[in-house]
Amino acid sequence: MSLGSVLLGVLAAGPAHGYDLKRAHDGRFPAARPLAYGQVYATLARLERDGLVEQVETRQHAGPERTVYALTASGRDELRRWLAETEQPGPYAADELVRKTITALHTGADSVDFLRRQRAVHLEAMRALTRERAAAAEPGTRIALDHTLAHLDADLRWLEETRERIAQDGTTR
């Protein structure tokens, strides 16, 4: 229930409509793919169906009509339960980067060139995220960017170790 739980967390600050929820999510998780409005509203519908949020009013300003949602007591309980759970580390073995590298290796493609190009892409992403983190005023945004940067750094170490292993083995297959 990850997205739903995150939206419950946003609503913990007070009632909001879908547009505000999307904007808050995208601001809190700047390195993640921005949410689609359809995702937000579909998730809100499920949360409402499950009794975790309720519609508290409908507002109409200059734009379209906006339905405002608020947490229910069950929603607050669910949020507390979710936050109390720890997360298992991800397996990462099925990551697209790993899949592509192993496929390149087994198909005879130039694995070393692929790894070199991938390293350049990772370095550029790290530079951009480092600039974004330096400009971020909100601590939560900086924390989310730190997490992404740490994963990129680990990927860079893996790319370098993999390149060295392929060079030592003297094979591209």
Side-chain angles (χ1 to χ4, degrees):
M1 183 183 182
S2 184
L3 177 57
S5 298
V6 169
L7 294 182
L8 291 175
V10 174
L11 286 169
H17 52 75
Y19 177 79
D20 287 338
L21 293 169
K22 178 211 177 332
R23 201 173 57 207
H25 173 278
D26 294 351
R28 288 180 183 187
F29 306 103
R33 183 175 355 135
L35 287 180
Y37 288 106
Q39 249 183 310
V40 173
Y41 291 108
T43 302
L44 284 169
R46 282 191 300 279
L47 292 171
E48 185 176 22
R49 177 199 68 207
D50 295 342
L52 303 175
V53 301
E54 61 187 351
Q55 295 181 23
V56 292
E57 70 177 290
T58 302
R59 297 178 186 162
Q60 174 125 25
H61 294 293
E65 190 174 88
R66 299 190 191 275
T67 301
V68 177
Y69 294 86
L71 281 180
T72 63
S74 295
R76 286 192 189 286
D77 290 344
E78 176 60 23
L79 178 59
R80 277 192 290 277
R81 186 201 61 71
W82 180 67
L83 290 173
E85 291 178 354
T86 58
E87 291 295 316
Q88 292 297 314
Y92 304 108
D95 183 80
E96 195 68 14
L97 176 59
V98 175
R99 287 183 182 138
K100 195 173 274 191
T101 302
I102 291 170
T103 300
L105 186 65
H106 284 280
T107 60
D110 189 343
S111 304
V112 173
D113 181 58
F114 169 74
L115 293 167
R116 180 191 57 74
R117 289 181 294 113
Q118 191 62 54
R119 182 178 184 278
V121 169
H122 271 64
L123 284 172
E124 182 51 42
M126 285 185 82
R127 287 183 193 108
L129 289 172
T130 300
R131 287 188 299 270
E132 192 174 335
R133 181 184 60 190
E138 210 273 318
T141 300
R142 290 192 304 273
I143 289 168
L145 289 168
D146 285 342
H147 185 263
T148 303
L149 284 164
H151 280 276
L152 284 170
D153 185 56
D155 282 350
L156 279 169
R157 287 192 311 273
W158 179 83
L159 286 163
E160 187 57 32
E161 290 168 3
T162 301
R163 188 197 58 75
E164 288 172 8
R165 179 169 291 138
I166 290 171
Q168 283 175 352
D169 290 347
T171 64
T172 58
R173 299 190 118 244

